[in-house]
Amino acid sequence: MENGGGGGDVPKDANEHCPGTQSGDAGKAEACAGCPNQQICATAPKGPDPDLVAIVERMATVKHKILVLSGKGGVGKSTFSAQLSFALAEMDLQVGLLDIDICGPSIPKMLGLEGQDIHQSNLGWSPVYVESNLGVMSIGFMLPDPDDAVIWRGPRKNGLIKQFLKDVDWGEIDYLVVDAPPGTSDEHISIVQYLQATGIDGAIIVTTPQQVSLIDVRKEISFCKKVGVPILGVVENMSGLRQPLSDLRFVKPSEAGETDATEWALNYIREKAPELLSLVACSEVFDSSKGGAEKMCDQMKVPFLGKVPMDPQLCKAAEEGRSCFDDQKCSASAPALKSIVKKLIKTD
């Protein structure tokens, strides 16, 4: 028996007699009970959106649109979005970075743009520029105090996302990187709905190696498949700690506490085994004994883009709002990030 009551698109895994995702009864009808899509359908905007035409026109000057997602917070998604944008800009491409993490906008900090304001012209809102070919837009630029909490319900968040897409004048750019909040909330449904009409390249999903993170990433992958967003690949971030031996700090523990032994240890190594100073110390921070993101990608039939190690120098670059590619300090993470960017460019 066929699904649907003529109310709009019907997901493949929908219940019998599904009213359609665009119906006013979507997620609320009796037939929706127990459907895996019920919550998404119930909260998604319904019917034709009059602003969609304006969004399509604005996005017509953007060649590629990439979503950066994560199932769980704290996995380094925004750090990845920032460094991906830096890397694309370094390739002489025109790049825009849109931060739709409404409640936790960290992109201004990670690009060294704290305290900047948004300016308006007759063409719309102007992005804040890091370089002439890297523009940024974030709610972080609108807060009078960076410590202010954004306590908004879904409709207001969705309204701002729509305004970002409709009113920001990016100009002719090659890539728009969209840094989304973790999870699968209203913001994700809105950005997907608006961008699908303009042509979206797909999503990059960022995770850490342990099962606690991968459990939620599986949900993110499921979300993308249900709403029809192509998955460009999964990045395993914080994939083991890698740090030059010379950058390590050494302590000597005792019953009274611990004392710093860094200077003694490094002097000892220089005297007795100086060749060790060229080595990189590696350590597994998170449990990856079950195969990590790479095995999960194989099981779920999605591309695996690569691993980025936990690099204290990368953390420092993010704190200082600069690119990790500007110098040789991020020797552990920068090559891994560049390899992932090359795969993405090749995919596009």
Side-chain angles (χ1 to χ4, degrees):
M1 185 177 293
E2 293 184 357
N3 284 333
D9 295 334
V10 176
K12 292 180 180 179
D13 56 348
N15 287 355
E16 190 176 10
H17 306 304
C18 169
T21 58
Q22 292 303 307
S23 167
D25 293 327
K28 303 172 185 176
E30 186 177 341
C32 299
C35 176
N37 309 295
Q38 185 176 13
Q39 185 176 1
I40 292 177
C41 290
T43 57
K46 307 296 189 300
D49 190 332
D51 288 326
L52 204 54
V53 174
I55 292 173
V56 170
E57 289 177 354
R58 182 69 79 179
M59 289 291 108
T61 62
V62 179
K63 293 180 183 177
H64 301 283
K65 307 166 195 75
I66 297 176
L67 281 174
V68 182
L69 309 173
S70 68
K72 186 175 288 296
V75 299
K77 169 187 55 61
S78 294
T79 300
F80 179 81
S81 296
Q83 297 303 325
L84 170 62
S85 301
F86 277 129
L88 292 171
E90 193 182 67
M91 299 167 71
D92 291 327
L93 296 166
Q94 298 295 321
V95 184
L97 174 55
L98 175 59
D99 179 9
I100 64 164
D101 193 344
I102 308 298
C103 295
S106 52
I107 288 299
K109 170 73 173 175
M110 291 185 174
L111 278 90
L113 298 173
E114 284 184 299
Q116 298 292 319
D117 296 319
I118 297 172
H119 299 285
Q120 286 184 286
S121 70
N122 59 341
L123 297 176
W125 289 355
S126 298
V128 178
Y129 284 90
V130 184
E131 302 287 349
S132 60
N133 64 333
L134 175 53
V136 181
M137 181 56 65
S138 169
I139 190 178
F141 299 135
M142 302 177 179
L143 300 177
D145 185 331
D147 294 335
D148 285 349
V150 179
I151 308 173
W152 290 1
R153 293 188 184 274
R156 194 172 179 190
K157 292 180 183 179
N158 296 340
L160 181 62
I161 292 170
K162 182 188 292 185
Q163 194 165 9
F164 278 158
L165 295 176
K166 180 169 63 79
D167 293 341
V168 176
D169 178 31
W170 296 104
E172 297 276 347
I173 62 173
D174 298 296
Y175 283 89
L176 178 64
V177 178
V178 181
D179 183 44
T184 53
S185 58
D186 282 357
E187 294 96 314
H188 301 80
I189 297 168
S190 295
I191 195 73
V192 167
Q193 183 186 32
Y194 301 144
L195 284 184
Q196 276 182 330
T198 72
I200 182 172
D201 291 61
I204 301 169
I205 302 175
V206 181
T207 184
T208 45
Q210 78 276 34
Q211 290 298 309
V212 168
S213 179
L214 294 175
I215 287 170
D216 289 337
V217 168
R218 290 175 182 271
K219 296 181 179 70
E220 199 79 42
I221 291 172
S222 176
F223 169 83
C224 289
K225 290 180 177 179
K226 283 181 178 179
V227 298
V229 174
I231 298 171
L232 300 177
V234 175
V235 173
E236 183 178 284
N237 197 27
M238 307 186 199
S239 184
L241 173 67
R242 294 175 64 89
Q243 190 171 10
L245 192 69
S246 57
D247 289 347
L248 290 177
R249 177 173 172 262
F250 298 86
V251 296
K252 185 176 181 180
S254 68
E255 292 183 1
E258 56 183 39
T259 55
D260 189 282
T262 303
E263 185 176 356
W264 172 85
L266 291 178
N267 286 337
Y268 187 87
I269 293 170
R270 289 189 190 99
E271 181 182 345
K272 302 293 184 181
E275 63 275 11
L276 293 180
L277 293 174
S278 63
L279 298 181
V280 174
C282 304
S283 175
E284 292 296 323
V285 178
F286 298 110
D287 179 19
S288 58
S289 60
K290 294 188 177 180
E294 189 168 8
K295 184 176 180 180
M296 180 205 67
C297 288
D298 183 59
Q299 292 171 341
M300 300 194 75
K301 309 301 181 188
V302 296
F304 179 66
L305 292 174
K307 301 179 180 182
V308 180
M310 184 180 288
D311 180 358
Q313 290 296 331
L314 175 60
C315 298
K316 189 174 181 181
E319 284 289 304
E320 295 175 355
R322 57 180 174 82
S323 169
C324 73
F325 309 107
D326 285 345
D327 50 41
Q328 302 300 313
K329 293 180 180 179
C330 299
S331 57
S333 55
L337 286 164
K338 280 190 175 179
S339 175
I340 289 169
V341 173
K342 286 179 181 178
K343 288 182 183 179
L344 284 172
I345 297 294
K346 187 175 180 181
T347 299
D348 289 338

